[in-house]
PDB file of all heavy atoms in Angstrom:
ATOM      1  N   GLU B 237     -52.108 -56.390 -13.170  1.00 98.00           N
ATOM      2  CA  GLU B 237     -53.006 -55.241 -13.375  1.00 98.00           C
ATOM      3  C   GLU B 237     -54.469 -55.664 -13.273  1.00 98.00           C
ATOM      4  O   GLU B 237     -55.359 -54.947 -13.709  1.00 98.00           O
ATOM      5  CB  GLU B 237     -52.715 -54.551 -14.721  1.00 98.00           C
ATOM      6  CG  GLU B 237     -52.802 -55.451 -15.920  1.00 98.00           C
ATOM      7  CD  GLU B 237     -51.871 -55.010 -17.062  1.00 98.00           C
ATOM      8  OE1 GLU B 237     -50.899 -54.274 -16.811  1.00 98.00           O
ATOM      9  OE2 GLU B 237     -52.123 -55.442 -18.205  1.00 98.00           O
ATOM     10  N   THR B 238     -54.649 -56.854 -12.694  1.00 98.00           N
ATOM     11  CA  THR B 238     -56.022 -57.317 -12.452  1.00 98.00           C
ATOM     12  C   THR B 238     -56.109 -57.819 -11.013  1.00 98.00           C
ATOM     13  O   THR B 238     -56.635 -57.140 -10.144  1.00 98.00           O
ATOM     14  CB  THR B 238     -56.413 -58.429 -13.456  1.00 98.00           C
ATOM     15  OG1 THR B 238     -55.453 -59.483 -13.404  1.00 98.00           O
ATOM     16  CG2 THR B 238     -56.493 -57.881 -14.868  1.00 98.00           C
ATOM     17  N   SER B 239     -55.493 -58.998 -10.771  1.00 98.00           N
ATOM     18  CA  SER B 239     -55.501 -59.546  -9.422  1.00 98.00           C
ATOM     19  C   SER B 239     -54.830 -58.609  -8.428  1.00 98.00           C
ATOM     20  O   SER B 239     -55.248 -58.507  -7.268  1.00 98.00           O
ATOM     21  CB  SER B 239     -54.773 -60.881  -9.434  1.00 98.00           C
ATOM     22  OG  SER B 239     -54.508 -61.316  -8.132  1.00 98.00           O
ATOM     23  N   LYS B 240     -53.783 -57.954  -8.875  1.00 98.00           N
ATOM     24  CA  LYS B 240     -53.026 -57.038  -8.009  1.00 98.00           C
ATOM     25  C   LYS B 240     -52.991 -55.667  -8.661  1.00 98.00           C
ATOM     26  O   LYS B 240     -53.258 -55.530  -9.855  1.00 98.00           O
ATOM     27  CB  LYS B 240     -51.589 -57.531  -7.808  1.00 98.00           C
ATOM     28  CG  LYS B 240     -51.493 -58.956  -7.307  1.00 98.00           C
ATOM     29  CD  LYS B 240     -51.965 -59.095  -5.878  1.00 98.00           C
ATOM     30  CE  LYS B 240     -52.180 -60.568  -5.526  1.00 98.00           C
ATOM     31  NZ  LYS B 240     -52.808 -60.742  -4.217  1.00 98.00           N
ATOM     32  N   TYR B 241     -52.554 -54.670  -7.899  1.00 98.00           N
ATOM     33  CA  TYR B 241     -52.412 -53.294  -8.393  1.00 98.00           C
ATOM     34  C   TYR B 241     -53.712 -52.748  -8.971  1.00 98.00           C
ATOM     35  O   TYR B 241     -53.715 -51.975  -9.921  1.00 98.00           O
ATOM     36  CB  TYR B 241     -51.249 -53.190  -9.391  1.00 98.00           C
ATOM     37  CG  TYR B 241     -49.925 -53.575  -8.741  1.00 98.00           C
ATOM     38  CD1 TYR B 241     -49.323 -54.801  -8.993  1.00 98.00           C
ATOM     39  CD2 TYR B 241     -49.307 -52.701  -7.851  1.00 98.00           C
ATOM     40  CE1 TYR B 241     -48.125 -55.154  -8.368  1.00 98.00           C
ATOM     41  CE2 TYR B 241     -48.116 -53.059  -7.223  1.00 98.00           C
ATOM     42  CZ  TYR B 241     -47.532 -54.279  -7.491  1.00 98.00           C
ATOM     43  OH  TYR B 241     -46.364 -54.634  -6.869  1.00 98.00           O
ATOM     44  N   THR B 242     -54.817 -53.222  -8.397  1.00 98.00           N
ATOM     45  CA  THR B 242     -56.143 -52.653  -8.673  1.00 98.00           C
ATOM     46  C   THR B 242     -56.777 -52.386  -7.314  1.00 98.00           C
ATOM     47  O   THR B 242     -56.381 -52.991  -6.318  1.00 98.00           O
ATOM     48  CB  THR B 242     -57.040 -53.639  -9.436  1.00 98.00           C
ATOM     49  OG1 THR B 242     -57.061 -54.885  -8.729  1.00 98.00           O
ATOM     50  CG2 THR B 242     -56.535 -53.862 -10.856  1.00 98.00           C
ATOM     51  N   GLU B 243     -57.753 -51.497  -7.261  1.00 96.00           N
ATOM     52  CA  GLU B 243     -58.386 -51.248  -5.977  1.00 96.00           C
ATOM     53  C   GLU B 243     -59.900 -51.250  -6.129  1.00 96.00           C
ATOM     54  O   GLU B 243     -60.442 -50.691  -7.079  1.00 96.00           O
ATOM     55  CB  GLU B 243     -57.903 -49.956  -5.322  1.00 96.00           C
ATOM     56  CG  GLU B 243     -57.949 -48.714  -6.165  1.00 96.00           C
ATOM     57  CD  GLU B 243     -56.625 -48.383  -6.883  1.00 96.00           C
ATOM     58  OE1 GLU B 243     -55.727 -49.264  -6.937  1.00 96.00           O
ATOM     59  OE2 GLU B 243     -56.513 -47.262  -7.398  1.00 96.00           O
ATOM     60  N   THR B 244     -60.578 -51.914  -5.200  1.00 96.00           N
ATOM     61  CA  THR B 244     -62.034 -51.832  -5.205  1.00 96.00           C
ATOM     62  C   THR B 244     -62.417 -50.450  -4.727  1.00 96.00           C
ATOM     63  O   THR B 244     -61.842 -49.899  -3.787  1.00 96.00           O
ATOM     64  CB  THR B 244     -62.663 -52.898  -4.276  1.00 96.00           C
ATOM     65  OG1 THR B 244     -61.971 -52.881  -3.036  1.00 96.00           O
ATOM     66  CG2 THR B 244     -62.533 -54.281  -4.889  1.00 96.00           C
ATOM     67  N   ILE B 245     -63.372 -49.870  -5.451  1.00 96.00           N
ATOM     68  CA  ILE B 245     -63.900 -48.566  -5.043  1.00 96.00           C
ATOM     69  C   ILE B 245     -65.411 -48.705  -4.910  1.00 96.00           C
ATOM     70  O   ILE B 245     -65.934 -49.824  -4.966  1.00 96.00           O
ATOM     71  CB  ILE B 245     -63.481 -47.450  -6.043  1.00 96.00           C
ATOM     72  CG1 ILE B 245     -63.811 -47.861  -7.478  1.00 96.00           C
ATOM     73  CG2 ILE B 245     -61.998 -47.139  -5.890  1.00 96.00           C
ATOM     74  CD1 ILE B 245     -63.567 -46.755  -8.510  1.00 96.00           C
TER      75      ILE B 245
END
Side-chain angles (χ1 to χ4, degrees):
Chain B
E237 56 209 21
T238 55
S239 168
K240 306 290 166 188
Y241 299 104
T242 52
E243 51 265 14
T244 47
I245 51 174

